[in-house]
Amino acid sequence: DGGITQSPKYLFRKEGQNVTLSCEQNLNHDAMYWYRQDPGQGLRLIYYSQIVNDFQKGDIAEGYSVSREKKESFPLTVTSAQKNPTAFYLCASSRADEVNEKLFFGSGTQLSVL
Amino acid sequence: SQQGEEDPQALSIQEGENATMNCSYKTSINNLQWYRQNSGRGLVHLILIRSNEREKHSGRLRVTLDTSKKSSSLLITASRAADTASYFCATDARALTGFQKLVFGTGTRLLVSP
């Protein structure tokens, strides 16, 4: 079964703690994305990567960091600098020739602050 | 600011009825897409319409695009309870060079009652 897997489904962060959200895809897609979704809102782009070992900031990158050491993996770290991290985080991927044309999404991680 | 805005914010209908939701955007686009999100899940790509197309069909879905009015509509015919979800439009802005990120609207919440 090809797809994109996010883990964990639920995550709790303590004050001052960094947490990492996992995103793995076996679709052989070059492009990967992280979005943040707040209740009743659309998605906002945090980071994106079009190729291994390269990534770019999106609209709301402050307080977040990513890495892209492998094609299939694009983990997101929510750092202590992100003062309002509670949100639903969505990872997505697409083919290199379908960047921004047909995104495949994972099932999301709900991050909450303790 | 948001590129796409959906209307209405929420829609409640009976099974068998048609559901129409609208999306307006602000700048020139290459394409417009519609995605569906079940509660607490990731988004699923439904349909893409390019800027030089006016109408597109996929099963019970019909999408129209009016670039002169910068608007699109999604029609779901003969709706079913399983169509209950939030529906988002997403647009990309034309650019001469560089990455053209997708911008998502705030979504229409559709409730289909048996």
Side-chain angles (χ1 to χ4, degrees), chain A residues 6-104:
Chain A
Q6 289 187 242
S7 63
K9 179 72 175 171
Y10 301 97
L11 186 58
F12 297 91
R13 193 190 89 167
K14 294 180 182 177
E15 204 68 42
Q17 186 181 39
N18 293 353
V19 292
T20 297
L21 285 61
S22 171
C23 178
E24 303 276 333
Q25 53 98 359
N26 60 4
L27 298 166
N28 199 33
H29 285 170
D30 286 297
M32 297 188 74
Y33 318 77
W34 274 105
Y35 288 91
R36 169 178 171 143
Q37 186 177 31
D38 292 282
Q41 300 294 314
L43 279 63
R44 291 184 290 168
L45 183 64
I46 305 172
Y47 268 98
Y48 62 93
S49 169
Q50 292 182 272
I51 198 167
V52 175
N53 292 322
D54 185 57
F55 50 83
Q56 304 295 330
K57 293 181 180 180
D59 296 322
I60 55 166
E62 187 174 347
Y64 300 96
S65 66
V66 294
S67 62
R68 186 86 188 276
E69 297 175 0
K70 297 186 296 181
K71 186 176 184 177
E72 57 271 20
S73 179
F74 192 40
L76 173 74
T77 296
V78 183
T79 74
S80 57
Q82 173 49 246
K83 298 306 179 189
N84 183 24
T86 296
F88 191 54
Y89 290 86
L90 287 160
C91 180
S93 69
S94 69
R95 285 168 27 179
D97 60 347
E98 287 186 330
V99 170
N100 288 328
E101 292 205 345
K102 185 178 179 181
L103 271 59
F104 288 78

Side-chain angles (χ1 to χ4, degrees), chain B:
Chain B
S1 61
Q2 295 278 11
Q3 166 76 316
E5 296 289 340
E6 284 92 341
D7 162 57
Q9 289 188 338
L11 181 60
S12 183
I13 60 174
Q14 300 289 318
E15 264 191 330
E17 294 180 339
N18 295 342
T20 299
M21 48 206 91
N22 304 295
C23 171
S24 59
Y25 57 92
K26 298 176 182 175
T27 64
S28 295
I29 60 171
N30 291 312
N31 62 67
L32 184 145
Q33 303 171 59
W34 286 90
Y35 287 81
R36 164 197 168 124
Q37 183 181 34
N38 286 70
S39 182
R41 306 288 295 176
L43 278 70
V44 175
H45 182 268
L46 295 176
I47 195 165
L48 178 151
I49 186 165
R50 300 199 184 277
S51 60
N52 60 353
E53 298 175 309
R54 291 296 168 258
E55 187 172 312
K56 204 161 184 179
H57 296 253
S58 177
R60 294 184 296 112
L61 305 180
R62 173 179 170 250
V63 170
T64 60
L65 179 63
D66 187 335
T67 53
S68 66
K69 294 181 180 177
K70 292 187 171 59
S71 68
S72 173
S73 68
L74 171 67
L75 168 66
I76 303 174
T77 60
S79 63
R80 307 164 181 169
D83 293 328
T84 294
S86 291
Y87 292 82
F88 294 88
C89 68
T91 54
D92 65 338
R94 279 185 183 157
L96 291 176
T97 60
F99 186 78
Q100 299 169 46
K101 62 177 169 56
L102 273 185
V103 180
F104 288 82
T106 52
T108 291
R109 295 188 311 278
L110 174 65
L111 173 63
V112 182
S113 302

